[in-house]
Amino acid sequence: MNKHQRIKKNKEFQHIFKKGKSFANRQFIVYVLKDEQTEFRLGLSVSKKVGNAVARNRIKRYIRQTFLELKDDLLPNADYIIIARPQAATLDFHESKKSLEHVLKIARALPRK
């Protein structure tokens, strides 16, 4: 992911929390805010309640990889914030990808197949 595709600043996170819509399943919460940009941007939040640093970084890698694989199907002009719940720590890559696809379909960010 390029630098301009990341959401890092607290001000940007707060704006998306206030203006965006949230969708959730047992493992992830997704906030989506449609915008006027050409590419999607991604913000990640994985709390210490999820696990130690190794587990949190693994979840973030899984989320980033999933978004890279789905980038052609996603809404290009939107900001996404993904919040991992503690149940996400028990998933392997394929399960987490399936769970993220599920919640993105609920959010209508991915077309239903």
Side-chain angles (χ1 to χ4, degrees):
M1 306 214 66
N2 299 328
K3 272 192 174 179
H4 62 276
Q5 286 182 294
R6 293 190 189 132
I7 300 169
K8 286 285 200 178
K9 296 189 170 145
N10 185 33
K11 197 174 192 181
E12 293 175 330
F13 270 88
Q14 295 306 320
H15 175 71
I16 296 167
F17 287 143
K18 286 180 185 162
K19 302 283 184 183
K21 296 201 180 226
S22 68
F23 305 91
N25 63 9
R26 288 181 183 234
Q27 292 84 17
F28 299 102
I29 303 169
V30 176
Y31 283 84
V32 180
L33 179 63
K34 293 180 178 133
D35 224 347
E36 308 282 320
Q37 63 226 18
T38 57
E39 290 185 316
F40 72 88
R41 295 190 313 156
L42 178 65
L44 301 175
S45 175
V46 184
S47 167
K48 286 186 177 182
K49 292 178 183 175
V50 174
N52 62 8
V54 175
R56 295 194 307 269
N57 289 332
R58 182 184 322 115
I59 292 167
K60 289 189 265 188
R61 276 197 316 271
Y62 289 169
I63 295 169
R64 278 194 220 90
Q65 185 61 36
T66 299
F67 268 78
L68 283 174
E69 291 179 10
L70 297 175
K71 71 180 175 188
D72 296 331
D73 298 332
L74 285 169
L75 293 174
N77 56 345
D79 290 336
Y80 300 95
I81 293 179
I82 311 294
I83 301 171
R85 290 182 163 167
Q87 293 90 338
T90 62
L91 303 178
D92 67 3
F93 173 70
H94 297 290
E95 292 171 332
S96 65
K97 181 178 178 183
K98 190 174 177 182
S99 179
L100 269 171
E101 285 176 344
H102 173 256
V103 76
L104 287 168
K105 284 177 184 174
I106 293 171
R108 294 190 178 134
L110 269 180
R112 294 179 191 266
K113 292 179 182 174

